Amino acid sequence: MDFFRDEFLEHYGMPRRSGRYPWGSGKEPYQHSGDFLARVEALKKEGLSEADIAKAIGLTTTQLRVQKSLAKDERRSLQVERAKSLREDGKTLDEIAQIMGFNNDSSVRSLLNAESEARMNVSKATADFLKETVDSKGMIDVGAGVEKELGISKEKLNQALYMLEREGYEVYGGGVPQVTNPGKQTNIKVLCPPGTEHKDIYDFENVHSLQDYISYDSGDTFKPAFVYPASMDSKRMKVRYAEEGGVDKDGVIELRRGVKDLDLGNSNYAQVRILVDGTHYMKGMAIYNDDLPKGVDVIFNTNKSKGTPMLGDKNNTVLKLIKNDPENPFGSLIKEHGGQSYYIDKDGKEKLSLINKRAEEGDWGSWSDHLSSQFLSKQPLPLIKKQLNMSAADKQAEFDEICALTNPTVKKAMLKSFADDCDAAAVHLKAAALPRQKYQVILPIPSMKDTEVYAPNYKDGEQVALVRYPHGGRFEIPILTVNNRQKDAVKVIGKNPIDAVGINGKVAAQLSGADFDGDTVMVIPTGKNVKIAAEPPLKGLEGFDPKLKYGGKPEGTFKVMKNTQTEMGKVSNLITDMTLKGANQEEIAKAVRHSMVVIDAEKHKLDYKQSEIDNDIAALKKKWQGSYDKDGRYHEGAATLISRSSSETQVLKRKGSPIIDKKTGEQSWKEVYEEYVDPKTGKTKVRTQKSTKMAEVKDAHELSSGTAQEELYADYANRVKALANKARKEMVSTGRIQYSSAAKAKYLAETQSLESKLNLALKNAPRERIAQVIANAEVRAKKQDNPEISKGELKKASQQALSKARAAVDAKRTPIKLDDREWEAIQAGAISENKLSQIINHVDSDELRQRATPRTTTTMSQAKVARMKAYQNSGYTTSQIAEMLGVSSSTVSKYLRGKE
């Protein structure tokens, strides 16, 4: 603790002691000292506020808080020294407690605890790490979120920065682009070497990131965020084959609890990758099992039959072969921060864990804010109508809120965004969510009843429906009773899992053959106002296992799937069209069997072409999707509004921005007729661009085949299309704030601040371009090295390459944060229309709307009241409606009773 002693005490001129014990030896050894905490405590006793105390000492309130925290560590450090000295003198714990003025020996034990002392030194260790990094790299970003990347607390980071400032290092405020929010910006902090000027932080190429580092011990040490995985000896594991019960837990990795190199940390379950013998790897959901055979630390469950080698070649193996990629041997991303961890081995050395997490407890449970047409269109008409009406009510209320905005430039920007959202809503046909629906990862509990689910995030005894995507039909929806008392489930998953449910293998099979390797389901509570229609599983799916029937074939004997997304879209559309048009169960079963093959064909090397033949897919397409156009030409493909809506169509090449009709709000484009010669065929073609069928029709009913479900969706699509046009019409008639040079002079500091923030945001564009160039070069090299790479693998590789390239060039984007004075300047006309439009593009939309919305409104619009009633009809409680609308429960109750 010499750093604290020399720097902290010298700065405040604190008197030091002479002799063996620091700060005297009375019961209150600090009472007569110049101790900083004593000074603060004395001022506080005099009745001074925190702000007054900070002013009296000559600090800001933020600096005061950091100093207090540092001083507490310093005081505790000195107490630790004293307790150690007394212990070395042979004093008992009780005697030390009495000498130091503690009530009992527990305080002394805490002082002598090594882990406690290590936690106290975190700020010093963090400061040393940051100092080394700055000395080697130069300026580094230490802004919002960096503490999470490093794995330390915000308080400890601030302490470390303050310590470095006192050594002469500079911490300046500024701004930096952020990756996750395109076109947005926020304030940051930059730690700089001594002598750096504030203006230097705006040379972005010289500001570096700490993304490559993380602390696994809360700041005591720092390590690279990713290192090549450690390998496990295959002698430590056992394969449980299909005949032994592996099929019931296919994709599950069972771990012995308490084994240091296989510990899941604070999670009870995680999706992991484990390297084995340096050549193969396991992938799946890892859980603990307290009944593993002696000498076995890991059991890997598979649906493969006995005789399949655990570590075979790529055509005949249980475990997968690693990829020839030192940065991604598993072919899929592991968590950038927290995906790897370290442990202390029995020899006292630190080692890398065998666990590489792709996701862990807490990463799956996101609330779903919509219902896809793939699911809802197959439900009863009343439910479809209710949820679509709710979506339309949401849109109408949003439109009314935007129209009430006071700033015309902001209003125009929000109206444009709203119109674009409405156009997209018409294409994708997503309906409002049902109450408490949530995505959860599934885990196997073989002893669970076929009619039950372990789901601690839901009420014991209530019924829930499970829906997995892609969704085939009602026969894939198990309606289960929540049983949160099931002993095996409690043992495996824990009493309070954040985002998991437990089901048996039979239920998983009904969910279009779900695996336990990270598959998720949408859980929908059913009840009085929520009736989910479900049917028994199709007989044609009983006992069907796509991997067993179409897998295991030698490479070269069948066509390997390369475009899962495209093929899955085709068969999903086929199933939807067949369902809406009334196909029988035998026909539906054929299409669903084929979809089960397609979804796993690329991942498990299944012969999907043979499945296409066996299941009569060509005949089904002809019967249910075949049609003739007005010119007598035969077509196959999407045949209902649900499948046609987002189907691709080609239109003439368009040039420039859309033209908006001021009377109707409809938009059109200037088209360019341009011919070219196709290099592959040598034929002359007309240049076109992609669009969707829904985007190109004025009346959605044109895409309907006439079923009742389609007509409801067509009505909804027309409603949101009309709202989009209404928004554009309002947009072109909205005026502008008059620019005022007098206002600019009055708010000169604010306008300069806004221009500075905008410049920082705009400067990210070249960085992003460089990142794209670097990433494209890397992806191109991967394609050349592996011409057979699948689209799925290429997509993953592209994501990894872009993420790495952005980190390398510090291409980041964060939103502009507006303060009150800056907003005053905007409202007063101190910013030109053009510049304000650019600023708006980089401000968080919620913040923008909040600042621009009038605050004098005491009544709710009719649209908002209609929205409340729609939510009530869908089964939402008063408190849930209030939370979604940002009002009190009493307000909701008042309007629902009609007493507004």
Side-chain angles (χ1 to χ4, degrees):
M1 296 300 298
D2 290 340
F3 181 94
F4 283 89
R5 186 179 302 132
D6 295 342
E7 292 292 316
F8 186 88
L9 298 177
E10 182 181 311
H11 181 75
Y12 284 98
M14 296 180 185
R16 294 307 309 272
R17 47 66 177 167
S18 61
R20 183 165 182 77
Y21 306 121
W23 305 103
S25 57
K27 286 189 176 181
E28 294 184 58
Y30 310 102
Q31 59 186 340
H32 301 301
S33 73
D35 177 29
F36 175 76
L37 285 176
R39 294 170 61 194
V40 172
E41 289 161 2
L43 291 171
K44 189 175 182 180
K45 287 180 181 178
E46 292 176 13
L48 271 69
S49 67
E50 185 181 54
D52 291 334
I53 293 171
K55 187 176 181 180
I57 296 177
L59 301 172
T60 66
T61 53
T62 301
Q63 289 173 330
L64 174 64
R65 290 168 188 160
V66 173
Q67 283 281 33
K68 282 172 65 178
S69 185
L70 282 169
K72 287 177 182 178
D73 280 352
E74 169 66 12
R75 175 182 280 185
R76 186 172 176 82
S77 175
L78 294 168
Q79 288 177 328
V80 169
E81 286 184 26
R82 190 172 184 217
K84 285 182 177 179
S85 296
L86 290 169
R87 192 64 168 159
E88 289 171 4
D89 287 347
K91 304 290 185 184
T92 66
L93 296 179
D94 286 334
E95 289 172 335
I96 296 172
Q98 187 175 6
I99 292 169
M100 296 186 69
F102 296 129
N103 292 328
N104 51 56
D105 68 358
S106 63
S107 297
V108 179
R109 292 179 189 277
S110 176
L111 291 175
L112 297 176
N113 183 281
E115 289 185 8
S116 177
E117 185 176 2
R119 286 195 297 272
M120 191 173 56
N121 294 328
V122 166
S123 298
K124 173 65 166 59
T126 302
D128 289 343
F129 163 72
L130 293 175
K131 182 178 179 180
E132 288 177 14
T133 306
V134 170
D135 290 347
S136 62
K137 285 188 171 185
M139 297 183 291
I140 57 173
D141 167 27
V142 289
V146 166
E147 75 280 358
K148 291 182 173 62
E149 288 184 345
L150 293 177
I152 60 175
S153 70
K154 189 173 183 179
E155 178 190 40
K156 293 302 180 185
L157 176 61
N158 286 337
Q159 289 177 12
L161 293 174
Y162 192 74
M163 292 164 70
L164 289 175
E165 281 187 280
R166 288 167 49 201
E167 281 196 48
Y169 288 80
E170 305 287 355
V171 178
Y172 293 125
V176 72
Q178 184 177 336
V179 171
T180 55
N181 296 298
K184 304 292 182 179
Q185 166 192 304
T186 194
N187 294 330
I188 64 153
K189 287 191 293 187
V190 180
L191 177 63
C192 312
T196 304
E197 295 185 28
H198 195 173
K199 64 182 177 63
D200 294 338
I201 71 171
Y202 300 116
D203 294 329
F204 288 125
E205 65 272 13
N206 296 323
V207 179
H208 301 280
S209 169
L210 289 169
Q211 285 183 329
D212 293 337
Y213 298 94
I214 186 172
S215 176
Y216 294 98
D217 47 22
S218 299
D220 195 27
T221 59
F222 292 84
K223 301 187 181 303
F226 174 81
V227 295
Y228 195 83
S231 181
M232 186 184 80
D233 190 332
S234 59
K235 294 178 181 177
R236 296 175 59 186
M237 68 171 292
K238 176 185 183 302
V239 172
R240 182 182 287 134
Y241 289 96
E243 298 87 344
E244 302 168 324
V247 69
D248 295 327
K249 296 183 179 181
D250 185 30
V252 172
I253 301 169
E254 298 175 62
L255 308 174
R256 183 181 295 279
R257 198 186 302 270
V259 178
K260 289 185 176 181
D261 60 354
L262 293 168
D263 191 77
L264 294 177
N266 296 323
S267 300
N268 285 313
Y269 49 89
Q271 189 179 29
V272 307
R273 307 291 186 262
I274 300 176
L275 185 62
V276 179
D277 285 358
T279 58
H280 293 68
Y281 68 96
M282 285 179 272
K283 57 169 292 210
M285 287 296 293
I287 57 175
Y288 291 118
N289 183 342
D290 296 325
D291 299 313
L292 295 186
K294 187 176 180 179
V296 174
D297 288 334
V298 181
I299 288 181
F300 182 71
N301 293 272
T302 181
N303 64 357
K304 288 184 167 57
S305 299
K306 280 186 175 181
T308 307
M310 180 170 68
L311 306 173
D313 59 39
K314 63 180 179 180
N315 296 319
N316 188 32
T317 181
V318 173
L319 302 191
K320 294 181 173 292
L321 281 162
I322 62 170
K323 314 295 180 184
N324 185 26
D325 186 341
E327 296 179 353
N328 185 20
F330 305 130
S332 63
L333 292 169
I334 63 170
K335 293 184 70 168
E336 286 186 299
H337 287 81
Q340 295 181 309
S341 60
Y342 293 81
Y343 67 97
I344 304 300
D345 203 359
K346 56 186 178 183
D347 59 6
K349 294 181 179 179
E350 186 180 70
K351 293 185 179 178
L352 181 65
S353 169
L354 294 170
I355 299 293
N356 299 276
K357 296 178 182 176
R358 192 175 186 277
E360 62 184 321
E361 186 173 1
D363 289 341
W364 288 279
S366 60
W367 291 96
S368 174
D369 59 358
H370 65 264
L371 290 172
S372 79
S373 59
Q374 188 183 116
F375 160 71
L376 187 60
S377 67
K378 298 171 180 126
Q379 287 295 304
L381 293 174
L383 183 61
I384 298 173
K385 186 175 183 179
K386 184 169 64 174
Q387 298 311 118
L388 289 176
N389 283 342
M390 189 186 300
S391 290
D394 281 347
K395 290 292 182 188
Q396 182 63 57
E398 184 179 358
F399 175 72
D400 290 349
E401 289 170 5
I402 295 172
C403 286
L405 298 182
T406 58
N407 186 298
T409 308
V410 173
K411 181 178 176 180
K412 284 189 287 187
M414 300 294 277
L415 284 169
K416 182 182 184 306
S417 176
F418 174 78
D420 291 342
D421 287 345
C422 284
D423 287 334
V427 171
H428 298 295
L429 300 176
K430 293 177 180 179
L434 289 163
R436 295 192 294 137
Q437 70 177 52
K438 196 174 185 181
Y439 281 106
Q440 305 272 273
V441 67
I442 57 172
L443 293 171
I445 307 296
S447 59
M448 206 86 201
K449 291 181 180 178
D450 296 347
T451 56
E452 294 182 341
V453 59
Y454 180 69
N457 290 307
Y458 295 89
K459 300 172 186 175
D460 194 51
E462 76 173 320
Q463 287 197 317
V464 296
L466 304 189
V467 180
R468 179 178 177 239
Y469 293 105
H471 174 68
R474 298 178 183 181
F475 49 86
E476 290 183 345
I477 305 177
I479 305 290
L480 308 170
T481 301
V482 176
N483 178 2
N484 292 332
R485 295 162 284 105
Q486 218 271 3
K487 292 181 179 179
D488 289 341
V490 173
K491 189 176 180 181
V492 171
I493 305 177
K495 291 183 178 180
N496 301 296
I498 298 174
D499 48 10
V501 296
I503 56 177
N504 67 27
K506 185 176 180 180
V507 175
Q510 186 179 354
L511 290 161
S512 63
D515 292 329
F516 295 109
D517 61 357
D519 284 355
T520 59
V521 294
M522 187 167 65
V523 182
I524 304 174
T526 63
K528 181 180 178 182
N529 293 311
V530 178
K531 301 292 184 183
I532 302 297
E535 297 172 355
L538 295 177
K539 290 190 176 297
L541 302 180
E542 290 179 4
F544 177 71
D545 188 322
K547 301 184 195 73
L548 292 178
K549 187 166 180 62
Y550 294 101
K553 296 186 177 183
E555 188 174 350
T557 63
F558 66 99
K559 184 176 181 179
V560 178
M561 170 79 74
K562 297 258 182 215
N563 53 344
T564 300
Q565 191 171 353
T566 300
E567 290 297 327
M568 200 63 228
K570 290 179 182 177
V571 71
S572 294
N573 283 344
L574 175 61
I575 294 170
T576 295
D577 292 346
M578 290 172 65
T579 303
L580 293 178
K581 290 186 169 187
N584 63 45
Q585 288 199 342
E586 184 181 350
E587 291 175 312
I588 294 287
K590 289 180 179 181
V592 173
R593 283 200 299 268
H594 182 58
S595 73
M596 293 168 68
V597 175
V598 168
I599 196 170
D600 280 334
E602 187 172 340
K603 183 167 64 172
H604 295 291
K605 303 294 185 289
L606 308 183
D607 188 353
Y608 76 101
K609 283 295 183 181
Q610 186 59 51
S611 167
E612 200 172 85
I613 295 169
D614 294 346
N615 289 297
D616 300 325
I617 300 303
L620 292 176
K621 285 182 177 180
K622 185 174 183 179
K623 179 177 180 180
W624 297 106
Q625 293 187 316
S627 64
Y628 291 89
D629 62 21
K630 57 184 180 181
D631 298 321
R633 290 175 296 189
Y634 178 76
H635 296 276
E636 284 181 4
T640 64
L641 178 140
I642 308 302
S643 56
R644 283 173 175 162
S645 181
S646 58
S647 293
E648 184 180 304
T649 188
Q650 296 292 324
V651 296
L652 280 176
K653 184 181 177 182
R654 290 166 175 172
K655 185 178 181 181
S657 300
I659 303 163
I660 299 173
D661 187 312
K662 293 182 179 181
K663 293 182 179 180
T664 66
E666 294 179 358
Q667 59 183 359
S668 58
W669 287 263
K670 182 179 180 181
E671 295 180 333
V672 179
Y673 187 87
E674 185 178 300
E675 294 183 345
Y676 71 101
V677 177
D678 188 333
K680 292 183 179 179
T681 64
K683 293 182 179 179
T684 300
K685 293 185 176 181
V686 176
R687 200 172 297 280
T688 60
Q689 66 183 61
K690 295 178 183 178
S691 183
T692 61
K693 290 180 179 177
M694 179 63 79
E696 298 306 316
V697 296
K698 285 189 176 183
D699 182 359
H701 289 277
E702 293 178 31
L703 301 179
S704 174
S705 68
T707 66
Q709 296 94 324
E710 291 175 81
E711 293 302 295
L712 287 176
Y713 272 99
D715 290 342
Y716 167 72
N718 282 344
R719 287 171 72 182
V720 292
K721 276 175 169 284
L723 266 179
N725 290 336
K726 194 174 180 180
R728 281 187 283 265
K729 183 179 177 181
E730 180 76 16
M731 181 179 72
V732 296
S733 63
T734 298
R736 66 197 311 184
I737 284 182
Q738 190 66 36
Y739 172 73
S740 168
S741 56
K744 182 174 183 179
K746 179 181 177 181
Y747 294 100
L748 183 60
E750 286 71 30
T751 58
Q752 289 176 341
S753 172
L754 286 168
E755 287 180 5
S756 176
K757 291 177 180 179
L758 177 61
N759 286 336
L760 289 174
L762 296 176
K763 283 182 179 179
N764 184 65
R767 287 184 167 206
E768 178 66 18
R769 288 195 299 271
I770 293 172
Q772 294 287 350
V773 169
I774 294 172
N776 272 286
E778 183 172 329
V779 171
R780 192 181 305 116
K782 284 185 181 294
K783 287 174 68 176
Q784 289 174 348
D785 292 341
N786 182 13
E788 299 300 316
I789 189 170
S790 69
K791 285 188 177 180
E793 290 175 326
L794 189 61
K795 183 178 180 181
K796 291 176 185 176
S798 300
Q799 292 171 339
Q800 291 172 326
L802 185 56
S803 177
K804 187 172 69 173
R806 282 173 171 167
V809 299
D810 280 344
K812 301 179 182 178
R813 296 171 185 169
T814 55
I816 290 176
K817 292 287 186 181
L818 301 173
D819 62 33
D820 292 342
R821 286 281 297 176
E822 288 170 344
W823 181 250
E824 283 182 30
I826 289 171
Q827 291 289 74
I831 305 293
S832 70
E833 173 89 357
N834 178 55
K835 190 152 290 183
L836 179 54
S837 295
Q838 293 182 68
I839 290 171
I840 287 170
N841 288 335
H842 294 84
V843 177
D844 179 76
S845 59
D846 289 335
E847 180 191 352
L848 199 61
R849 184 176 300 181
Q850 185 178 7
R851 287 191 177 276
T853 301
R855 298 167 192 252
T856 57
T857 302
T858 58
T859 59
M860 291 203 178
S861 66
Q862 290 184 342
K864 208 160 193 176
V865 175
R867 188 180 179 193
M868 282 183 185
K869 292 178 179 177
Y871 279 126
Q872 183 188 43
N873 292 336
S874 188
Y876 283 90
T877 65
T878 300
S879 60
Q880 288 171 337
I881 297 170
E883 184 179 355
M884 286 187 290
L885 299 183
V887 297
S888 66
S889 294
S890 60
T891 299
V892 173
S893 297
K894 179 181 74 171
Y895 278 94
L896 290 178
R897 290 196 303 267
K899 296 183 178 182
E900 65 273 13

